Amino acid sequence: MMSEPRFFALIIGTEILNRRRKDAHFDFVTKALADKGHKLTASFTIEDDPALIIQTIKFIASQENAVLFSFGGIGSTPDDHTRRCASIALREGEMVTHEEAKHIIVETLGEKAYPYSVRMAELPKGATLLENPVNKMPAFALDERYYFMPGFPEMSHPMVEKILTKLIPNKR
């Protein structure tokens, strides 16, 4: 891992900005990092706008030693743009069907995986999977430093804890 990572949170969801849902990620990430002796460099809460998502990911990726925790927009609804936006920002738009993700989705949902949920297996080239402890629908990472997780805290927060345990040594 790089020396002295700089941590960024990207919280994607119009429903958070218009107050239909309360953000739970900022406080969680701040505390989880502090518990490991690190701090959050910046946090962005943005609407479900593809151009804004792409530009925000590109900006974060341009920062030295950036590690991104992105929450939201990886599901199968029409406003879930994050998979494609991450691909555009970090992989020149190259998307592939991640066969392991497809297998997990179909194995878990059966026929209900079609026609929409199976699209969650369309990921940026080179993506690795993050295990979802709640509903098994995988999240993904790129380059072991950009982590894209569901917007639901009960799914994403255990993922963050696992990532921090695996990748980030304790400072204390």
Side-chain angles (χ1 to χ4, degrees), residues 69-138:
F69 295 119
S70 177
F71 303 97
I74 66 167
S76 60
T77 61
D79 67 342
D80 287 324
H81 305 292
T82 305
R83 289 186 320 279
R84 176 150 313 278
C85 292
S87 179
I88 292 168
L90 301 169
R91 292 292 191 268
E92 298 177 351
E94 194 168 354
M95 299 279 285
V96 298
T97 298
H98 193 291
E99 292 301 327
E100 184 184 354
K102 182 178 178 182
H103 175 77
I104 292 167
I105 293 164
V106 172
E107 184 81 14
T108 303
L109 299 177
E111 286 303 311
K112 292 180 183 169
Y114 296 96
Y116 301 109
S117 296
V118 74
R119 293 181 188 162
M120 293 185 293
E122 296 295 317
L123 297 175
K125 185 177 182 175
T128 56
L129 299 184
L130 300 174
E131 185 181 342
N132 185 328
V134 175
N135 69 2
K136 306 298 181 227
M137 297 301 104

Side-chain angles (χ1 to χ4, degrees), residues 2-165:
M2 69 202 80
S3 61
E4 285 309 307
R6 297 176 70 217
F7 295 96
F8 295 82
L10 175 55
I11 302 160
I12 301 167
T14 303
E15 68 278 7
I16 292 172
L17 288 169
N18 67 21
R19 301 287 202 189
R20 279 195 329 242
R21 253 191 40 222
K22 185 177 180 342
D23 169 61
H25 303 299
F26 178 80
D27 288 341
F28 171 79
V29 171
T30 301
K31 182 181 182 325
L33 287 169
D35 289 348
K36 301 286 274 177
H38 292 270
K39 67 178 180 63
L40 193 60
T41 297
S43 178
F44 302 85
T45 303
I46 63 173
E47 63 187 356
D48 296 298
D49 175 283
L52 184 58
I53 296 168
I54 291 164
Q55 290 304 313
T56 306
I57 293 170
K58 283 183 174 183
F59 171 74
I60 292 168
S62 76
Q63 304 305 298
E64 188 176 351
N65 297 331
V67 174
L68 168 63
F69 295 119
S70 177
F71 303 97
I74 66 167
S76 60
T77 61
D79 67 342
D80 287 324
H81 305 292
T82 305
R83 289 186 320 279
R84 176 150 313 278
C85 292
S87 179
I88 292 168
L90 301 169
R91 292 292 191 268
E92 298 177 351
E94 194 168 354
M95 299 279 285
V96 298
T97 298
H98 193 291
E99 292 301 327
E100 184 184 354
K102 182 178 178 182
H103 175 77
I104 292 167
I105 293 164
V106 172
E107 184 81 14
T108 303
L109 299 177
E111 286 303 311
K112 292 180 183 169
Y114 296 96
Y116 301 109
S117 296
V118 74
R119 293 181 188 162
M120 293 185 293
E122 296 295 317
L123 297 175
K125 185 177 182 175
T128 56
L129 299 184
L130 300 174
E131 185 181 342
N132 185 328
V134 175
N135 69 2
K136 306 298 181 227
M137 297 301 104
F140 69 97
L142 294 169
D143 304 328
E144 292 191 357
R145 57 189 278 196
Y146 307 112
Y147 299 94
F148 298 90
M149 296 164 279
F152 300 104
E154 65 273 15
M155 296 178 194
S156 58
H157 294 182
M159 293 177 185
V160 170
E161 290 171 339
K162 189 171 184 177
I163 292 162
L164 290 176
T165 298

